[in-house]
Each structure stands twice: as structure tokens, then as C-alpha cells.
Amino acid sequence: MSRRHAKANPEGLPLNTPGLVLDSVTCSRGGRTLLSGLNLQLAPGQWLQVRGANGAGKTSLLRLISGLLPPEAGEVRWRGEPVVTQRDRWCRERLYLGHEAALKDDLDPLENLLAASVLAGWPTSRPQARAALADAGLRGCERTPVRRLSQGQRRRCGLARLLLSRHSPLWVLDEPFNALDADACDWLALRLQAHLQGGGLLVLTSHQQVPLTQPAQELQL
């Protein structure tokens, strides 16, 4: 009898097999339990939208998923292994963009993007970084100090990292649509759609409806 193998996406994750697993996870901040015994699974091409009022714990959950905040109980697993046992691989294969753009005001967008790529372990050339900024709507602003950019431009600068994250099948995004105009929202939705169609995984928070064709898993905090 021949053996059939699961089809794999370009990042090497078997389709229909969970890449991200939260197993009985509990998270507390400031002595307050934000979530308890949470279980969820995401396979390639799937995404999770986290909803909740301000202070409900959305950002804490995303930081926990990203390995930036340890769970009080339970375990986060990636590719079947606890993330705490594979830190280097985990940091390369997940991209976390927080609510703030996390940009250095004295650097320009090009310098910020190149620095972020080095920290993430992604080999990125200056032409690649320029192309990503242009795609994100910042053509002509590449060498403008970030402190002189609008909030929307700062957000676009951070989101340009999505275009260089080919080594990161999991995207974890905190309110990525904030401060974006209609054109930028459409651009971002297309990027997220392409990521999922390529077998990527996505976790995001958003107070608005996200226009993606794949149905979301939803978590209300």
C-alpha cells in the first residue's frame, strides 16, 4: 500500500495540521486573570480575530502568543513543540507587530526597516527595503525622519515589514488597521489575503470587520 503524505505549503507546514496551538493557557496581569484555560489551534491558511473592550487582555494575549509574555499556566506550541524550547526558530518564524509602530524617531523609514530586518534575522537588501516601502505607500518618504511622518505614514512604515517576512509563516498583529486611510486599509487587506492564500497563519486584533474571504475563528475577551 502506498503512503500518502500531507501536502505542505511553501513554508514547510503541512496543510490542515495545526501550526500554532494554545493548550489550556491562562494569562494574568496585575493580579487579574485575563483568560483561563484557553485552547485554540490554527493551521496554515487559517486566521483568528481577537475582539474585546479596551483592557480586556487582547494585547496581552498577542504578546503571550508571540512569546513575549509567559503564560501563568498551559503551553504555547509551534510545529508541535513548545515555543520555549525553540526560541531562535520561533523568533524567525513569527512576526509580531504591536499596537505602537516601534520605530526610532531619529531614523528614517529605510533605516528603521533595515534595522528591524536584522533584528528579525531576515536578510534584506536596501533595494528590497525600498521596494517594500514604496509598495506600502511611502515612495518619496524613505529618507524622511520618522518623527516628521504622520500617524498613518508611521503605521505604513511598520506594516512594510510584512512584505519582507517571507520566513515568517505566522503573523501576529495588534490593531493593524488603526490610523490607516481607506486606500491603505485595502492595501493591507490584500497583503493579509495573499499571506493566507500562501499557507500563512494570522492572529490579529481589530475593532472593525476585516475584509478577508477566508472565514475567521473569533475569540471574544
Side-chain angles (χ1 to χ4, degrees), residues 20 22 42 48 50 58-68 76 78 90 93-99 155 159 161-162 165 168-176 192 195 201-205:
L20 176 69
L22 271 63
L42 282 183
L48 171 71
V50 182
K58 301 186 301 297
T59 294
S60 294
L61 174 59
L62 265 58
R63 289 177 58 81
L64 185 150
I65 289 173
S66 299
L68 302 175
V76 180
W78 175 246
W90 177 235
E93 296 189 350
R94 69 99 176 99
L95 170 65
Y96 171 70
L97 294 182
H99 188 267
R155 174 63 70 177
L159 292 170
R161 292 175 60 189
L162 301 177
S165 62
S168 302
L170 173 63
W171 291 357
V172 183
L173 312 179
D174 196 354
E175 298 291 351
L192 300 181
H195 179 65
L201 300 83
L202 170 65
V203 178
L204 63 77
T205 62

Side-chain angles (χ1 to χ4, degrees), residues 75-76 78 80-90:
E75 189 173 70
V76 180
W78 175 246
E81 299 293 333
V83 298
V84 295
T85 67
Q86 48 175 332
R87 285 293 184 182
D88 290 343
R89 179 187 195 180
W90 177 235

Side-chain angles (χ1 to χ4, degrees), residues 18 23-24 31 58-59 67 73 84 117 130 142 150 157 162 179 189 203 216 219:
D23 185 3
S24 301
K58 301 186 301 297
T59 294
V84 295
S117 298
R130 283 184 175 277
E142 298 93 339
S150 69
C157 183
L162 301 177
V203 178
L219 175 62

Side-chain angles (χ1 to χ4, degrees), residues 12 17 25 35-36 38 40 43 79 91 107 113 118 122 124 139 145 171 175 179 182 203-204 207 210-211:
T17 300
V25 164
L35 52 95
S36 178
L38 176 64
L40 67 84
R79 299 182 185 263
C91 289
L107 300 182
L113 192 54
V118 169
W122 308 328
T124 301
R139 187 184 301 276
W171 291 357
E175 298 291 351
V203 178
L204 63 77
H207 291 291
V210 180

